[in-house]
Amino acid sequence: MNDQYPTSTVRAFIALAPPDDAKAELARALRPAYEAYPGMRWNHIEDWHITLAFLGELPVATVRLLQPPLARSAAARNPLKLALHGGGHFDGRVLWSGIDGDLEGLHLLASEIRAVVDGCGVVLEGRPLRPHLTLARARRNDPTGVVDAAAELDTFTGRPWSTPRLHLVASNTARGPGPIHYRDVDSWPFGGAL
């Protein structure tokens, strides 16, 4: 991990990632918005994820400490059945797709993962889980488009999919200007995943 992140800390979170075909389905539905609002900061499709626990800036040693208990947690659970559904926005600035399917299971998984993180001594913000997949952000000098793009997603219903893996992800946020890049630190299959 130090080769990939030469600093002593890593900005990290724990997430689920929709499969590529589910993301491609949503990307096709977003084509009119991509064309109508090219000034928005669109997240790269390979970075789309559902955050279960945001960990913030952590020492690399702490990230390593989290890996074995997260692997055990994933192995002890069956995959969830989810789907991307609809759209919305946070404060007219952040465009997202909603999540449908086994939401009770998703909340339970997030609670279990947050308990694992807490058990490793990492203090989390007390934010409740709001299952979503962030798609884009308005630029500071051009906030147009987010509300309209969200309305265009109202009728979107993606196909159901299973969550095959739990991901521990790091980002380069706060490492300077430029786009955010995400990288898996590690990921683990759920117990019933193929």
Side-chain angles (χ1 to χ4, degrees):
M1 189 158 101
N2 283 334
D3 294 340
Q4 193 173 14
Y5 299 97
T7 63
S8 60
T9 63
V10 174
R11 192 167 176 89
F13 58 89
I14 300 163
L16 301 174
D20 289 345
D21 56 339
K23 292 189 289 188
E25 183 180 32
L26 177 57
R28 283 190 298 275
L30 284 168
R31 276 189 196 139
Y34 289 149
E35 292 172 10
Y37 311 109
M40 289 187 352
R41 294 182 319 176
W42 292 96
N43 290 1
H44 297 278
I45 191 171
E46 62 270 13
D47 291 336
W48 288 355
H49 62 272
I50 303 162
T51 302
L52 299 175
F54 178 72
L55 309 178
E57 195 79 18
L58 296 177
V60 170
T62 302
V63 173
R64 286 192 186 109
L65 179 70
L66 288 168
Q67 291 173 284
L70 288 172
R72 286 190 297 273
S73 291
R77 290 191 118 269
N78 287 324
L80 299 172
K81 199 67 134 168
L82 301 175
L84 301 173
H85 178 76
H89 62 87
F90 296 127
D91 299 325
R93 299 209 40 88
V94 177
L95 174 66
W96 51 261
S97 174
I99 309 301
D100 202 5
D102 185 3
L103 296 181
E104 184 178 329
L106 183 60
H107 282 274
L108 181 59
L109 173 62
S111 294
E112 290 172 4
I113 293 305
R114 291 170 182 205
V116 166
V117 169
D118 184 61
C120 290
V122 176
V123 178
L124 297 173
E125 293 178 10
R127 292 185 189 175
L129 179 67
R130 292 177 69 180
H132 69 280
L133 188 147
T134 300
L135 302 170
R137 289 172 176 76
R139 295 201 182 272
R140 291 191 199 289
N141 61 350
D142 184 13
T144 62
V146 170
V147 174
D148 291 339
E152 291 172 18
L153 282 177
D154 266 353
T155 60
F156 175 77
T157 300
R159 67 158 189 83
W161 44 272
S162 291
T163 56
R165 303 182 74 79
L166 180 68
H167 299 262
L168 176 58
V169 183
S171 74
N172 68 337
T173 303
R175 304 248 187 257
I180 298 171
H181 295 285
Y182 299 110
R183 301 222 181 344
D184 268 5
V185 172
D186 209 341
S187 69
W188 307 275
F190 287 104
L194 300 175

